[in-house]
Structure formats: C-alpha cells, structure tokens
C-alpha cells in the first residue's frame, strides 16, 4: 500500500522528559532479556526500534527512577503481548487468548507459576512483586481491573477477526476504549507520582469523562500513526480503516477525519477541565496531579511517534510457546 501522510495533531501541552531517561534506556533491554521476552532477532530489533523507554520517560516525566523502571516494564510487557494479540496466530483465536488472560490475572492475584506457564507469566511475577513493594493493595487491585478491561478488548478484537467482522464505528469505539489500555497507563501515572486519587474523585462523573476523553485522544492519535502497519497486516481495528470501509472514503480522507475528531476531543478536554469544581484543598491537589498525568500521556505519546519505529513495518509474528 502507498505511504500515508500523517497530519499535524493539535496538542497544547508542553513536552517534558524524565531526567532518568539514559539510565532507563540501559535498564529497558536488560529486563526483557532477563525474561526471554524477545524470542528471536526480529523481535529483538523491533523492540529496540520501538524505544518504549522514551515513551515511559515522556509520559511519566516527574517519576522517581525505581517507579519509572517498573512503569516502563509494565509498558514493555503490554506492548510485547499486544503484538502477540495482533500479529501472531492468536489474533484469530479468542478462546485461547482468553485462557491466557485468565491465567495472567490469576498470577497477578497471587497464584504461583507452574511448569505449564509461559515466560510472560514469569515476567508478571516479577512485576507484581516489585509493584506491590511500592504501591498499596487497593491501588494494585484497581490497576488489575484496568488490565482486565484491556484483556477483554483484545479478545473482542480477536473474535471479530475470527468471524471476519469489520465493526461499525460505534462498536469499534467501544472496543477500542478497552483494547488501547489507557486506563491502565493512567493508573501507572498515579503509581509513578506516588499518590492515589480517592474513590470520591475516581467515581465523579466529570473525572470519568476526563478519563474517557483522554482515552479517545490517545486512541485516535495511535490509530493515525499505526494505520499503515495495521492495514498492511490486514487488521481492521483502526478508526482510519473503519471510516474508510463503512463510509466508502479514501484512506487519506479517513485520516483527515480522524485528525479532526482528535483535535475536537483535545479542545473538549480543555473545556471540561474548566468546569471542574473545587473538591477541597487536598482533593484539588490530587485531581491536579491526575490531570497533569493525562496531559503528559497525550503529549508524551505524540512525541514518541517521532522517535519510535514501532509502526514502520507490518511483519507477522510467529506464535511462540514461551516456555
């Protein structure tokens, strides 16, 4: 397919980079190699070119080093697993994929690994232990609920691929809000900045709306920059392709429309923030930190695309046993 042109996306939030980025870069490769998550030379090269360390350092610019390392390793685990969900034989095997996810959640809830478990499971044991050393059990349970939602989105996508379904726009948006995993990475912003928003804020309608808009903003920017790779690999789970397919418009016009939707959502986020009431001195500090984390992810995600080569190819991955 011909090369698509990426539009400039509206983003009023300033760029920041964590001061520990050089240390993080060295750590990044060491962790995935320790758990043998890069199974061959192609996967190794793809990981190095993806530069997840830059994404973590941009999305969590104020984090201390140890929290940043843990957040980075969560991102690495999710992205490597996401490739298995999208580019291996698992992409059309929802029941098998769901079984993997059930087991991963069991391990994250404290089950011991067995000889039947994958290397992904062993990596999760490490992540669980390190995370719980620095986070409350309550926060971790919330984080796991976000991961479970992400897993469900991946299974829904696999189910569509198995049945040859191109979801309509509304159905796709609903699935994408899960499969993009933004709620989990926003939870990691709390972890990295050493706070946890209380239930009174997490359950507030305006805060939920801010999270939803942030999820959509990151989803649509990702769909724009990943469109070439995903369409070339035959994946239909991309708003660019969904609009192109159902509205019978060119891919260029579809990208233009997704960019417009993205920019409208950014302005909606800014507008909604201005309507937030005061929750009291302490809670106002918490919500300000949380919103700052949203801004950092939106900006950091965009900055990452100009440094990463993650979406510059469409290779197919072999399904590996990971034993």
């Amino acid at each position: 397919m011909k090369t698509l042109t990426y539009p400039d996306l509206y983003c009023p939030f300033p760029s920041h980079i964590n001061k520990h980025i050089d240390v993080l870069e060295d750590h990044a490769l060491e962790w995935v190699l320790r758990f043998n998550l890069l199974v061959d030379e192609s996967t190794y090269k793809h990981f190095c070119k993806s530069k997840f360390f830059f994404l973590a350092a941009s999305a969590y610019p104020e984090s201390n080093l140890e929290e940043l390392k843990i957040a980075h390793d969560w991102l690495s685990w999710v992205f490597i697993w996401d490739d298995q969900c999208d580019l291996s034989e698992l992409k059309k095997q929802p029941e098998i994929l769901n079984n993997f996810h059930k087991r991963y959640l069991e391990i994250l809830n404290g089950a011991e690994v067995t000889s039947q478990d994958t290397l992904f499971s062993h990596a999760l044991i490490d992540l669980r232990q390190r995370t719980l050393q620095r986070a409350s059990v309550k926060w971790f349970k919330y984080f796991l609920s976000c991961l479970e939602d992400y897993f469900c989105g991946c299974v829904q996508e696999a189910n569509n691929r198995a049945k040859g379904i191109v979801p309509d726009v509304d159905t796709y948006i609903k699935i994408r809000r899960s499969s993009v995993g933004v709620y989990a990475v926003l939870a990691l912003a709390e972890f990295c900045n050493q706070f946890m928003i209380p239930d009174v804020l997490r359950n507030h309608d305006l805060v939920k709306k801010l999270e939803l808009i942030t999820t959509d903003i990151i989803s649509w920017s990702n769909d724009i920059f990943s469109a070439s790779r995903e369409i070339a690999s035959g994946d239909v789970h991309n708003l660019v392709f969904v609009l192109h397919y159902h509205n019978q418009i060119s891919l260029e016009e579809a990208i233009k429309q997704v960019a417009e939707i993205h920019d409208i959502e950014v302005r909606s986020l800014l507008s909604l923030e201005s309507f937030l009431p005061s929750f009291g001195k302490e809670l106002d500090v918490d919500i300000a930190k949380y919103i700052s984390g949203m801004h950092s992810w939106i900006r950091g995600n965009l900055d990452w695309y100009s440094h990463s080569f993650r979406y510059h190819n469409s290779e197919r991955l072999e399904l590996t046993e990971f034993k």
Side-chain angles (χ1 to χ4, degrees):
M1 88 182 256
K2 66 180 181 179
T3 302
L4 298 175
T5 301
Y6 299 139
D8 291 329
L9 298 179
Y10 174 58
C11 184
F13 313 124
S15 298
H16 297 291
I17 197 79
N18 194 288
K19 65 182 180 181
H20 300 298
I21 185 171
D22 292 336
V23 178
L24 185 65
E25 182 176 7
D26 293 335
H27 163 83
L29 192 57
E30 183 274 329
W31 187 79
V32 292
L33 290 177
R34 179 163 27 119
F35 290 96
N36 297 318
L37 296 182
L38 308 180
V39 297
D40 53 32
E41 185 177 358
S42 175
T43 309
Y44 174 87
K45 289 181 178 179
H46 186 52
F47 179 86
C48 293
K49 290 179 179 179
S50 294
K51 298 185 178 180
F52 299 129
F53 71 89
F54 186 92
L55 175 59
S58 300
Y60 308 117
E62 303 300 326
S63 177
N64 292 330
L65 178 58
E66 290 308 312
E67 282 81 2
L68 184 64
K69 286 180 178 179
I70 294 169
H72 167 272
D73 297 343
W74 276 113
L75 291 179
S76 295
W77 190 97
V78 168
F79 275 115
I80 295 171
W81 179 248
D82 201 66
D83 282 342
Q84 286 294 313
C85 296
D86 292 347
L87 298 173
S88 78
E89 292 301 324
L90 282 177
K91 68 181 183 180
K92 293 183 179 181
Q93 298 176 336
E95 292 184 4
I96 296 176
L97 191 60
N98 192 50
N99 288 336
F100 273 118
H101 291 161
K102 285 182 178 179
R103 182 56 183 159
Y104 293 156
L105 289 170
E106 288 174 355
I107 288 171
L108 287 170
N109 278 295
E112 294 184 2
V113 294
T114 70
S115 60
Q116 300 301 311
D117 279 305
T118 69
L119 293 176
F120 278 100
S121 298
H122 288 270
L124 287 178
I125 289 288
D126 175 77
L127 284 170
R128 181 181 188 273
Q129 292 173 343
R130 290 162 60 208
T131 303
L132 282 173
Q133 287 175 355
R134 295 177 173 271
S136 69
V137 172
K138 182 177 181 179
W139 176 87
F140 191 67
K141 287 183 178 179
Y142 171 71
F143 178 64
L144 293 190
S145 72
C146 296
L147 278 181
E148 185 173 10
D149 182 56
Y150 157 71
F151 287 153
C152 288
C154 293
V155 171
Q156 287 177 296
E157 289 185 350
N159 187 60
N160 285 341
R161 296 188 196 101
K163 295 180 178 179
I165 295 173
V166 180
D168 60 50
V169 173
D170 290 341
T171 302
Y172 171 70
I173 289 175
K174 183 178 180 180
I175 294 173
R176 185 58 169 152
R177 286 170 174 168
S178 293
S179 69
V180 73
V182 168
Y183 285 93
V185 300
L186 290 181
L188 284 173
E190 296 176 63
F191 172 78
C192 283
N193 292 294
Q194 300 177 318
F195 79 103
M196 178 179 177
I197 64 170
D199 292 341
V200 67
L201 290 180
R202 201 179 301 282
N203 296 324
H204 195 281
D205 287 343
L206 286 180
V207 176
K208 287 183 176 181
K209 185 63 175 177
L210 289 172
E211 292 173 331
L212 189 66
I213 295 174
T214 299
T215 296
D216 288 348
I217 291 168
I218 294 172
S219 296
W220 309 149
S221 64
N222 181 267
D223 279 8
I224 288 171
F225 288 100
S226 66
S228 291
R229 185 182 88 154
E230 291 176 346
I231 294 171
S233 69
D235 198 351
V236 303
H237 295 98
N238 186 294
L239 187 58
V240 173
F241 182 80
V242 170
L243 290 176
H244 159 74
Y245 180 86
H246 286 293
N247 295 348
Q248 298 184 334
I249 58 178
S250 69
L251 289 172
E252 289 80 2
E253 177 60 27
I255 284 182
K256 180 181 177 182
Q257 289 188 15
V258 176
E260 290 172 351
I261 294 170
H262 170 279
D263 292 355
I264 289 171
E265 293 290 358
V266 174
R267 292 184 172 89
S268 295
L269 184 72
L270 294 172
S271 176
L272 188 60
E273 287 173 16
S274 69
F275 286 99
L276 276 174
S278 174
F279 297 96
K281 186 176 181 180
E282 292 185 4
L283 292 182
D284 285 351
V285 171
D286 287 339
I287 195 62
K289 287 181 180 179
Y290 196 47
I291 291 174
S292 178
M294 296 178 189
H295 294 175
S296 293
W297 248 101
I298 293 168
R299 176 80 262 176
N301 191 52
L302 274 181
D303 290 345
W304 175 56
Y305 294 129
S306 63
H307 289 78
S308 174
F309 287 85
R310 173 171 171 77
Y311 300 110
H312 288 211
N313 55 59
S314 58
E315 73 272 19
R316 176 184 179 278
L317 296 185
E318 295 298 327
L319 177 59
T320 309
E321 292 300 325
F322 295 112
K323 295 290 178 69

